[in-house]
Amino acid sequence: MDGKGTDIKEFLEFIYSFYKSMKEHHVQLVYEGEITHQITKAFTSLTETNMELGEESQSTQKKVFHVMVECLQNVGKHAEYMENTEIHRDGRGIFLLCKNEHEYTITTGNMVNKSKFSEMTEGLEKINSLDKEGLKQLYKQQIKEGRLSNKGGAGLGFIDIAKKTGNPLIYNFLPINDDYLFFVLTSVISRYND
Amino acid sequence: MEVIKIVGTDDTPSVTLDVANEIFEVSGRSLPEDVAAFYEPILDWIERYSEEASGKTVFNFKLVYFNTASSKMLLDILLKLEEMYESGKEVLVRWHFPDDDEDMQEAGEEYADIVEVPFEQISYSMD
């Protein structure tokens, strides 16, 4: 934007359409950037306050908090990009919290290297194929056998989300370039399930 | 042994490890920025304590929330307690959960399945 009238007009139109899209999709919170521990704390605390004010059930509040933490930490720990053949972990991504009458949806999007595609797809498909009991078994197996990675992850995030929400993980990998994919993950938490 | 007394915050639990007063407790919320850095001194302490423990050790977990990275560290604490128990020391784990929190109760059940150590589940009211 260089201050010219037409640019400003375009920008204002963009703001209005952005506002309308957010309303249409019931977006409560949207963020793009680096996901740090401070951001995780700020977003979860803000959402807790809003849910408390909205008299959301305790069980839904807890599930939303759980899933938000795991999703935000996933991006913070794993998001990466490549520059001049070097991989940088930058923890950047997009985060959206949406809420309608029936459910909360928590979505993250971040870049992942294509080399992770098969392993991630396999893991996510396995989780989605399991029922509650199967997820419990997988969780126990992973917590026993898994080591805490140097990123501080326990490899339990996706399993935990599926276990806590009771819903399948919705995900997609969108092509960005030869090396990278944009990984989108959406978790759904039903409301009024007390 | 020195006493460990950590006051909890909104992302780290309260921890008390006090041999003289027989208090061994982790409570509150656990999602530290660096889980390994937070739990390492605690695991070290338990490791040293396990060699000299003489009486009964009742270890209380009274958490309201922990993230998956913390869950791994909690298992590490339980595995140390299991080792103590297997070496002939008297150990009891008490897992406290809010009476309306099924997930926290289930987490306790899962840990009880994994480790071979006397394990009690205790529900309490948040009111």
Side-chain angles (χ1 to χ4, degrees):
Chain A
M1 209 161 55
D2 60 5
K4 283 183 194 161
T6 50
D7 287 347
I8 289 173
K9 187 162 175 288
E10 244 176 63
F11 181 68
L12 293 176
E13 276 164 8
F14 158 69
I15 296 294
Y16 185 53
S17 71
F18 188 60
Y19 170 79
K20 281 195 293 188
S21 295
M22 279 184 67
K23 283 282 178 200
E24 193 186 325
H25 295 282
H26 308 282
V27 178
Q28 306 280 302
L29 183 60
V30 59
Y31 173 82
E32 191 282 325
E34 189 185 353
I35 295 181
T36 60
H37 188 62
Q38 293 309 318
I39 290 284
T40 302
K41 275 168 63 175
F43 288 0
T44 48
S45 149
L46 176 70
T47 306
E48 269 190 317
T49 308
N50 287 340
M51 287 191 295
E52 199 64 55
L53 288 171
E55 294 179 348
E56 198 62 70
S57 74
Q58 281 300 314
S59 132
T60 305
Q61 286 196 33
K62 278 184 178 151
K63 287 182 200 302
V64 170
F65 185 89
H66 261 278
V67 175
M68 275 184 78
V69 171
E70 296 303 326
C71 286
L72 288 163
Q73 291 189 334
N74 268 344
V75 177
K77 282 171 187 161
H78 300 293
E80 56 185 28
Y81 70 101
M82 194 154 84
E83 192 179 67
N84 305 326
T85 73
E86 262 182 74
I87 292 175
H88 302 269
R89 198 175 304 132
D90 65 350
R92 288 183 77 93
I94 188 167
F95 173 84
L96 284 102
L97 173 73
C98 305
K99 173 185 139 185
N100 68 24
E101 218 182 310
H102 310 290
E103 61 202 24
Y104 282 88
T105 56
I106 292 165
T107 304
T108 51
N110 59 274
M111 283 169 71
V112 296
N113 194 281
K114 266 190 182 162
S115 63
K116 308 250 173 73
F117 172 76
S118 320
E119 194 191 337
M120 285 177 74
T121 307
E122 210 175 288
L124 289 158
E125 280 307 310
K126 176 160 189 197
I127 289 167
N128 281 348
S129 74
L130 296 171
D131 60 5
K132 194 173 182 330
E133 194 48 42
L135 287 168
K136 270 170 90 159
Q137 294 309 324
L138 182 63
Y139 187 90
K140 281 196 267 188
Q141 184 193 337
Q142 178 65 25
I143 195 173
K144 271 192 284 187
E145 292 170 6
R147 294 296 316 154
L148 206 63
S149 72
N150 54 6
K151 299 172 196 168
L156 295 163
F158 292 153
I159 310 172
D160 190 56
I161 294 168
K163 217 160 140 267
K164 293 270 158 48
T165 63
N167 290 316
L169 303 167
I170 302 163
Y171 67 94
N172 209 341
F173 291 91
L174 307 161
I176 298 177
N177 56 35
D178 288 347
D179 301 308
Y180 277 86
L181 300 164
F182 192 68
F183 170 61
V184 180
L185 177 73
T186 297
S187 314
V188 180
I189 297 151
S190 316
R191 299 175 70 191
Y192 314 119
N193 51 357
D194 270 5
Chain B
M1 275 188 82
E2 82 279 10
V3 172
I4 289 192
K5 178 118 188 113
I6 302 168
V7 178
T9 66
D10 56 356
D11 62 354
T12 52
S14 296
V15 180
T16 307
L17 300 171
D18 181 343
V19 181
N21 292 303
E22 297 177 357
I23 305 171
F24 309 92
E25 185 173 289
V26 180
S27 63
R29 275 163 55 140
S30 181
L31 59 148
E33 180 162 21
D34 185 342
V35 276
F38 183 85
Y39 282 98
E40 235 155 62
I42 295 162
L43 290 163
D44 276 355
W45 191 95
I46 299 170
E47 178 77 41
R48 284 182 285 120
Y49 166 73
S50 65
E51 282 158 29
E52 63 171 62
S54 50
K56 182 175 181 176
T57 305
V58 178
F59 205 106
N60 288 284
F61 291 91
K62 199 174 183 178
L63 292 152
V64 289
Y65 168 78
F66 56 88
N67 64 350
T68 56
S70 299
S71 71
K72 180 74 191 157
M73 305 312 287
L74 297 176
L75 178 62
D76 287 348
I77 293 178
L78 287 163
L79 288 170
K80 292 228 182 289
L81 297 171
E82 177 185 58
E83 261 175 54
M84 266 177 79
Y85 177 67
E86 282 172 349
S87 73
K89 313 262 179 178
E90 210 179 337
V91 181
L92 173 65
V93 172
R94 284 203 165 124
W95 185 268
H96 303 259
F97 61 92
D99 55 12
D100 63 347
D101 192 341
E102 273 176 45
D103 288 334
M104 194 51 79
Q105 180 177 8
E106 204 176 287
E109 286 163 10
E110 283 165 9
Y111 281 129
D113 281 352
I114 298 172
V115 292
E116 296 289 330
V117 67
F119 204 105
E120 257 179 41
Q121 294 252 46
I122 300 153
S123 75
Y124 64 93
S125 167
M126 287 289 266
D127 305 325

